[in-house]
């Protein structure tokens, strides 16, 4: 019986690690998120799970949705807005460059 418990614990731990990895990736791509924001959010989740023994999904839900929520809470709105504008400009430039490359003879 003890062996089965360890297997279940290992499976739950691996699932929690997958949740955390997905959360970090999704958080990192949110506008205005930098390394400090990711570290702060990961620390909050890790501390909560260590204190309660809960799986992160139990308390925080879907990692993608929580990444959006955490970014909205931890990133100053002016920085997030600036990053969104910057990303929009980059996408426009990339689109123009791609169209130019598609023109024969250029």
């Amino acid at each position: 019986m003890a062996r089965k418990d360890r297997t279940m614990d290992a499976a739950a731990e691996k699932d929690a690690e997958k949740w955390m990895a997905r959360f970090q990736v999704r958080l990192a791509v949110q506008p205005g998120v930098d390394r400090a924001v990711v570290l702060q959010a990961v620390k909050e989740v890790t501390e909560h799970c260590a204190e309660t023994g809960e799986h992160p999904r139990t308390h925080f839900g879907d990692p993608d949705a929580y990444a959006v929520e955490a970014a909205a809470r931890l990133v100053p709105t002016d920085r997030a807005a600036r990053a969104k504008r910057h990303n929009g400009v980059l996408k426009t430039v990339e689109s123009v460059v791609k169209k130019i490359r598609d023109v024969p003879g250029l």
Side-chain angles (χ1 to χ4, degrees):
M1 191 69 155
R3 183 178 185 93
K4 185 177 180 184
D5 289 342
R6 275 188 262 144
T7 303
M8 294 290 240
D9 289 343
E13 187 174 323
K14 185 163 183 95
D15 188 50
E17 288 173 4
K18 286 181 181 179
W19 187 98
M20 186 64 81
R22 184 170 181 105
F23 169 66
Q24 290 177 46
V25 168
R26 296 298 185 184
L27 180 60
V29 298
Q30 297 301 309
V33 170
D34 59 8
R35 185 172 188 268
V37 170
V38 173
L39 291 174
Q40 182 179 354
V42 167
K43 181 180 176 184
E44 290 173 1
V45 171
T46 304
E47 285 178 352
H48 174 81
C49 293
E51 289 172 5
T52 64
E54 287 182 316
H55 186 285
R57 186 176 310 280
T58 304
H59 184 78
F60 300 101
D62 179 65
D64 297 346
Y66 188 65
V68 171
E69 180 186 321
R73 182 173 44 86
L74 297 172
V75 176
T77 49
D78 62 327
R79 186 167 76 189
R82 189 171 50 250
K84 284 180 185 176
R85 282 192 309 274
H86 179 74
N87 290 344
V89 169
L90 286 179
K91 286 180 183 179
T92 302
V93 169
E94 288 171 354
S95 175
V96 169
V97 169
K98 184 178 181 217
K99 288 178 183 178
I100 291 172
R101 286 184 182 156
D102 292 342
V103 175
L106 287 181

